[in-house]
Amino acid sequence: MTVRRILTVDSDMTTLKQVSAPAAAVDDGLRRLMDDMLETMYAAPGIGLAAIQIGEPVRVIVMDLAKKGEPPAPRFFVNPEIVSASEETGPWEEGCLSVPDIYEDVERPIQVRLRYLDYNGAVVEEDADELYAVCIQHEMDHLNGVLFIDHLSRLKRERAVAKVKKAARADA
Ligand code: GNR
Ligand code: NI
């Protein structure tokens, strides 16, 4: 397994805006990608990662919502779809490894029903709420080239990108 570089909005916006293509099959090559994504996510650290964040435009997501002190609970999503979403929405403070050190409230459906293929290619259908619902919607946005800052006002979005660019310049 390899920790890969996570693309960020200061230098890799064009790639992050790409719409990812469905995975053709859940095979050893795709599992290797998922393993690299998980290791990259844990190293960051983060609770979710979409393949496009390491430059791979394929509809794959990894996630681990285990709290500190709990055993690891990796989850893998291939070609996920939202089957249905609650009418009710609610705010949640989000962050993104591709928009480092920016945290803002985003309003989304509070409950969603998902269908996806797991690490072994089995079809799974399940309900998500709370942080799970927030995170899977955030990650599925990435598959469509959408970032959480795209849900903010233009002013807040432009300020966020400017802040990330400034921090990147200071780092260099
Ligand atoms: O690590 C992450 N934390 C997080 C917090 C609130 C809502 C969404 C997320 S996902 C983010 C990692 C990431 O950028 N995934 O795309
Ligand atoms: Ni993100």
Side-chain angles (χ1 to χ4, degrees), residues 53 95-98 138-139 142:
Q53 291 180 275
C96 182
L97 294 169
S98 296
H138 174 115
E139 302 310 338
H142 277 300

Side-chain angles (χ1 to χ4, degrees), residues 10-131:
D10 53 284
S11 55
D12 309 296
M13 185 73 96
T14 312
T15 305
L16 289 167
K17 289 269 132 200
Q18 281 184 39
V19 177
S20 295
V26 183
D27 56 14
D28 287 348
L30 199 74
R31 277 186 283 270
R32 193 166 314 128
L33 172 64
M34 292 194 274
D35 293 345
D36 283 357
M37 288 170 61
L38 195 71
E39 193 175 357
T40 303
M41 184 193 78
Y42 284 145
I47 60 171
L49 193 75
I52 194 63
Q53 291 180 275
I54 59 166
E56 303 281 352
V58 55
R59 302 183 82 80
V60 173
I61 290 162
V62 299
M63 192 183 297
D64 191 329
L65 302 178
K67 299 187 189 78
K68 280 194 192 101
E70 290 179 358
R75 306 180 199 218
F76 304 90
F77 305 85
V78 177
N79 300 341
E81 293 169 56
I82 290 181
V83 177
S84 60
S86 60
E87 295 248 350
E88 189 183 349
T89 65
W92 201 288
E93 188 179 78
E94 298 192 17
C96 182
L97 294 169
S98 296
V99 195
D101 301 317
I102 304 290
Y103 301 91
E104 295 284 353
D105 271 6
V106 175
E107 185 90 16
R108 299 185 189 272
I110 61 168
Q111 193 271 334
V112 292
R113 184 158 188 84
L114 306 170
R115 190 183 301 133
Y116 60 92
L117 304 178
D118 68 12
Y119 193 83
N120 299 117
V123 180
V124 179
E125 194 169 317
E126 66 191 10
D127 293 314
D129 64 6
E130 303 274 326
L131 180 59

